[in-house]
Amino acid sequence: MRSPWFNKPLAIFGPRPPVSWLLLCVVCVLGLIAILGSTSLSAFDSVTPTPVLDIYSNYRRLKEQAAVDYLELRTLSSGAGRQREVGLCGREQENYVPCYNVSANLLTGLQDGEEFDRHCEMSRPREQCLVRPPKDYKIPLRWPAGKDVIWSGNVKITKDQFLSSGSMTKRLMLLEENQFAFHSEDGLIFDGVKDYSHQVAEMIGLGGDSEFVQAGVQTVLDIGCGFGSFGAHLVSLKLMSVCIAAYEATGSQVQMALERGLPAMIGNFISRQLPYPSLSFDMIHCAQCGIVWDKKDGMLLIEVDRVLKPGGYFVLTSPASNPHGSSLSTKKRSTLTPIDEFTEEICWNLIAQQDETFIWQKTVDVHCYKTRKHGAIPICNDGHDSSSYYQPLVSCISGATSNRWIPIQNRSSGPHLSSAELEIHGVQPEDYFEDSQVWRSALRNYWSLLSPIIFSDHPKRPGDEDPTPPFNMVRNVMDMNARYGGLNAAMLEENKLVWVMNVVPVRAPNTLPLILDRGFAGVLHDWCEPFPTYPRTYDLLHANGLLAHLSPERCSMMDLFLEMDRILRPEGWVIFADKLGAIEMAQALAMQIHWEARVIDLDNGSDQRLLVCQKPFVKK
C-alpha cells in the first residue's frame, strides 16, 4: 500500500510525472550544485583592488557552464530576465549623437557658436532603444589596411557631398563604387601631406619629421582634422595624433577619422574647456580649421596655451592667418595685430613662418609671465585646474604653478615614466610597476580567451557570402576606466596593432595627466553622460571596475549599456572585469540589449569575474 506522503504528488501529477516536472528537477539540481560549489570556493576568496589575473589556459567548460546556469537561474528568480528586451530606434537615429541638438539650442537662445556646443544638461531623456546601423553598413576592413579604405555606407557623407567637398579632398580621396580610398602608402600621397609634415619639422629645426619624437613631440592635438590625412601620416611616424572637430550632422570629420581607425572625438573651441588637464599635448595643429583665434578677447588662444606643454608648438596653417605679410622679418612692426598681442602676452615666440604656415613655441621659462608688462593676462589661482571637465573658458594662464611644468625636450620618451616623474604625479613606483605587471598578465589572459575569435579574421556569418579577408580585426579599444593606462602600455609592448582611448571617469582619481605624460590618448568623462563620438566607432570596449564609478542618483546601468551599444560597432566586443555581483547585473542587462554574454571565472582565488559580450549585427 502506498503511503499518504506518496499519494499527494500522484494526486497532482497523476501516476506518471510530466516531462516538464522532470526537467525542472534537473535544473534545480544543477543550480544546487553550482550554489554548493560557489559556497565552498567563497571561503578561499580574497578581495583585492587590483587582482593579478592568471593566464587562462584551460576553459574548464563543465565548471564554467554550471556557473552560467546558476547565474541565469538567479536572474530568472529575481525577475530581471522577465524585463522586456530593448527594441531598435527609428532609421532617423542611425547617426544619433546625444547632447548635440543645434535646432533645439537655437530655440533656447544660444548663439555665437554655442548652439553647436555640447549641452547634455539640456538634453531630454532619450528613449530606451538601440541605434541601428545604416542599411548598407559593412564590417570595417582590418587595420591598418582599413586606415586607407573604408566603406562609404558606414559614414553619413554622401557621394554628392564628397564630390562637392573641394579639390584638395577629391585629390586626397578616391571614390570607388562603395568605398572611399585614401592613398597614403608607398608615396601615393596627394597634396603633399608628407612634404607638409617634413616642412613643419624643418621649421622647428629638425632634419625631418622622423625626428619629431627625439625633439619631444609625442602627442599632437589636430584641430579640425578634415578626413584625417595629416593624422594618419603622424600615426605612421609612431606619434599619437588625436583629432577633434565640432559636431556636424554629416559626421564628415570625426566620424570619417574614426571609421579609418584613427583617434578622434567631438570637441571644439567655443565656450568651454576641452576635457583635458593643463599641459597635455606637445603640439597643437590647426590647418584651415575655421577658428578665428583672436575672438573672445583671446580666450581661444588661452585655451590652446592651457593644454599645450612647456616648449610645445602651435602650428597654424591658413591663408587668413598671415599677420605679418610675406616673411618673418616683418614681425617687428609699429602696430601689432591682435593675434601678435595675445601670443606675446601668453609668452609664445613666433619661431618660423613659411608660406601660409606659422609656428609658435610656448615658453619653457615659467618666470616669463612675471616679466610681462602691467595689465597682461593674469596667472590662474592655485588649484584652478583641478577639474577641466567642460568648465567655462577662462581668461587666465593655467599650468604655470603646476609641478608638471617640464619642457617637452626634458621628458622621458616612450610610455615608461621615471621614479621622479611618478613622484610628480603622486604615484608610488611600486604601485605603478605592480599595475603594469597586472595588465601584462591580463592582456595575455584576454588573448588566450578570445583568440582567434576577436583578433583574427571573423568566421562567416550564416546567410552571408564569404567575406574577403582580411576581415574584422580590432583596430581600436576604449578603456573605460583606464587608471594608469596599463592596458594601453601592455598592448604596445606586445606590438598589438590597436590604439587605445584611455578614459578616466570624473568620479575616479584623476590619473589623466599621468596617462597623457606617457604619450597615450586620453580624456576625462562622466559615464552618466554620452561620450562625444558618433555611433559605431569602437571595436572593443574594456570596463574594469567601472560600475562602481556610476552615480546611481543620476543614471542607471541601463543608461550606460545603451551608450556602450551606441558607440560599439556591430560584431564589436565588450569585456567587463568586476566583482561577481556586478557581473550578474551586467549579464542580465546584456541579455536585454541582445548581446551574447558569457561569464568566465578566472580561478585566481578572488571574487573577480570576466563578462565577455559581443554585439550582434542586426540587419533590419
Side-chain angles (χ1 to χ4, degrees):
M1 175 178 286
R2 295 179 178 132
S3 69
W5 179 89
F6 189 72
N7 287 333
K8 289 182 180 180
L10 287 181
I12 299 173
F13 298 110
R16 298 182 63 185
V19 176
S20 61
W21 184 77
L22 293 175
L23 289 174
L24 180 62
C25 290
V26 172
V27 172
C28 291
V29 170
L30 286 174
L32 183 61
I33 292 172
I35 294 171
L36 292 174
S38 174
T39 303
S40 62
L41 288 173
S42 63
F44 303 98
D45 286 350
S46 59
V47 180
T48 57
T50 54
V52 177
L53 304 178
D54 298 330
I55 298 177
Y56 188 68
S57 57
N58 188 330
Y59 279 93
R60 307 184 306 282
R61 295 184 184 278
L62 292 178
K63 181 179 178 181
E64 179 186 321
Q65 188 58 51
V68 172
D69 291 339
Y70 165 57
L71 289 175
E72 290 178 352
L73 283 171
R74 294 259 326 245
T75 300
L76 289 169
S77 65
S78 66
R82 293 191 294 270
Q83 295 182 16
R84 67 177 183 85
E85 293 183 339
V86 179
L88 297 176
C89 303
R91 284 285 179 196
E92 71 281 358
Q93 296 193 46
E94 288 176 357
N95 292 281
Y96 174 60
V97 181
C99 301
Y100 293 91
N101 189 330
V102 178
S103 57
N105 292 341
L106 286 170
L107 291 175
T108 61
L110 292 172
Q111 55 185 345
D112 295 331
E114 291 191 31
E115 66 271 21
F116 298 100
D117 215 337
R118 183 176 186 269
H119 294 284
C120 293
E121 71 282 358
M122 297 174 57
S123 298
R124 292 178 300 175
R126 61 170 290 193
E127 62 173 311
Q128 291 197 343
C129 60
L130 304 174
V131 175
R132 67 175 80 199
K135 180 180 178 181
D136 297 326
Y137 184 87
K138 296 179 182 291
I139 301 299
L141 299 175
R142 177 161 58 179
W143 203 90
K147 176 166 61 73
D148 300 309
V149 179
I150 67 172
W151 303 109
S152 57
N154 288 12
V155 293
K156 194 171 183 181
I157 185 171
T158 65
K159 180 178 179 180
D160 291 339
Q161 289 171 323
F162 163 72
L163 292 175
S164 63
S165 57
S167 59
M168 178 178 289
T169 300
K170 284 185 284 187
R171 289 195 297 272
L172 284 170
M173 301 167 53
L174 300 179
L175 184 63
E176 305 172 2
E177 294 185 0
N178 58 352
Q179 294 179 343
F180 291 129
F182 305 79
H183 292 265
S184 60
E185 299 296 330
D186 302 321
L188 297 177
I189 191 74
F190 294 86
D191 281 312
V193 172
K194 286 185 177 179
D195 291 338
Y196 173 71
S197 177
H198 188 80
Q199 172 190 332
V200 170
E202 288 185 333
M203 291 174 68
I204 64 175
L206 305 178
D209 55 10
S210 61
E211 299 180 8
F212 273 135
V213 175
Q214 295 92 309
V217 178
Q218 301 180 70
T219 56
V220 179
L221 184 66
D222 194 8
I223 304 169
C225 55
F227 296 146
S229 296
F230 183 60
H233 177 64
L234 294 180
V235 167
S236 71
L237 300 175
K238 309 298 184 186
L239 274 65
M240 174 50 67
S241 175
V242 179
C243 161
I244 63 167
Y247 168 75
E248 298 172 275
T250 59
S252 59
Q253 292 194 59
V254 171
Q255 188 186 42
M256 185 75 77
L258 282 161
E259 191 63 30
R260 297 182 65 183
L262 302 171
M265 59 179 286
I266 300 173
N268 49 32
F269 289 80
I270 297 177
S271 61
R272 303 187 187 187
Q273 294 180 349
L274 298 173
Y276 313 118
S278 293
L279 317 180
S280 293
F281 295 94
D282 307 318
M283 177 183 286
I284 297 180
H285 175 259
C286 163
Q288 300 183 16
C289 60
I291 297 175
V292 182
W293 289 106
D294 53 9
K295 285 182 63 178
K296 296 194 174 184
D297 296 326
M299 283 201 295
L300 305 183
L301 277 177
I302 294 173
E303 175 64 3
V304 172
D305 179 80
R306 186 184 71 83
V307 297
L308 190 62
K309 292 182 177 180
Y313 303 95
F314 178 55
V315 181
L316 178 61
T317 298
S318 172
S321 68
N322 191 337
H324 306 302
S326 59
S327 69
L328 183 60
S329 62
T330 59
K331 180 178 187 294
K332 301 298 183 181
R333 301 191 307 176
S334 58
T335 303
L336 295 178
T337 63
I339 194 169
D340 283 324
E341 295 175 355
F342 289 132
T343 55
E344 286 193 356
E345 286 196 36
I346 57 180
C347 287
W348 288 5
N349 181 33
L350 181 63
I351 62 172
Q353 182 265 318
Q354 185 174 332
D355 300 325
E356 298 170 344
T357 298
F358 293 78
I359 301 181
W360 287 267
Q361 184 174 27
K362 180 174 178 174
T363 184
V364 299
D365 181 11
V366 72
H367 298 292
C368 170
Y369 301 111
K370 298 179 180 179
T371 61
R372 297 169 301 158
K373 62 183 180 181
H374 179 71
I377 300 170
I379 296 175
C380 299
N381 297 327
D382 291 344
H384 168 80
D385 196 44
S386 58
S387 175
S388 54
Y389 186 69
Y390 295 109
Q391 295 296 311
L393 291 175
V394 297
S395 56
C396 59
I397 295 172
S398 302
T401 60
S402 171
N403 56 2
R404 292 177 56 235
W405 185 278
I406 302 174
I408 63 172
Q409 296 81 4
N410 298 348
R411 291 185 297 106
S412 300
S413 62
H416 299 295
L417 302 182
S418 66
S419 297
E421 289 169 324
L422 290 174
E423 185 178 353
I424 289 173
H425 291 282
V427 175
Q428 295 298 320
E430 298 80 11
D431 186 26
Y432 174 81
F433 292 121
E434 180 184 355
D435 183 79
S436 299
Q437 290 294 334
V438 165
W439 288 111
R440 289 189 188 104
S441 176
L443 186 64
R444 292 194 297 270
N445 189 21
Y446 293 161
W447 249 249
S448 173
L449 281 168
L450 306 174
S451 297
I453 298 175
I454 293 183
F455 301 101
S456 64
D457 295 346
H458 194 282
K460 175 184 175 182
R461 294 187 299 275
D464 282 4
E465 298 179 358
D466 290 330
T468 302
F471 193 72
N472 202 42
M473 175 65 84
V474 168
R475 307 157 302 165
N476 57 22
V477 177
M478 176 182 281
D479 195 352
M480 302 174 69
N481 186 21
R483 202 180 183 218
Y484 300 150
L487 179 62
N488 195 158
M491 286 185 167
L492 283 178
E493 291 178 6
E494 294 294 326
N495 295 316
K496 303 301 182 185
L497 294 178
V498 299
W499 63 268
V500 180
M501 178 61 77
N502 297 278
V503 181
V504 175
V506 294
R507 293 170 63 88
N510 187 5
T511 55
L512 184 57
L514 184 149
I515 290 172
L516 294 170
D517 283 355
R518 299 183 75 175
F520 301 156
V523 65
L524 284 172
H525 184 64
D526 183 346
W527 281 116
C528 280
E529 297 178 358
F531 192 81
T533 190
Y534 292 86
R536 302 170 297 277
T537 49
Y538 284 90
D539 298 333
L540 172 63
L541 305 179
H542 177 259
N544 176 48
L546 173 69
L547 303 179
H549 295 297
L550 286 182
S551 175
E553 65 275 6
R554 293 181 53 226
C555 60
S556 67
M557 282 182 61
M558 177 56 82
D559 295 326
L560 174 65
F561 273 62
L562 290 174
E563 177 61 9
M564 294 171 70
D565 185 86
R566 184 185 73 86
I567 67 178
L568 186 66
R569 70 160 172 82
E571 296 189 358
W573 295 79
V574 182
I575 300 176
F576 289 95
D578 222 310
K579 295 183 179 180
L580 179 59
I583 290 296
E584 286 186 50
M585 293 186 291
Q587 186 191 26
L589 293 174
M591 293 167 61
Q592 283 187 250
I593 60 175
H594 313 285
W595 289 355
E596 297 176 10
R598 195 67 177 269
V599 177
I600 297 172
D601 183 356
L602 295 169
D603 198 26
N604 63 354
S606 77
D607 67 347
Q608 292 280 318
R609 299 292 187 273
L610 291 182
L611 179 66
V612 180
C613 307
Q614 186 179 30
K615 175 181 174 177
F617 191 170
V618 179
K619 291 184 175 180
K620 287 187 179 181

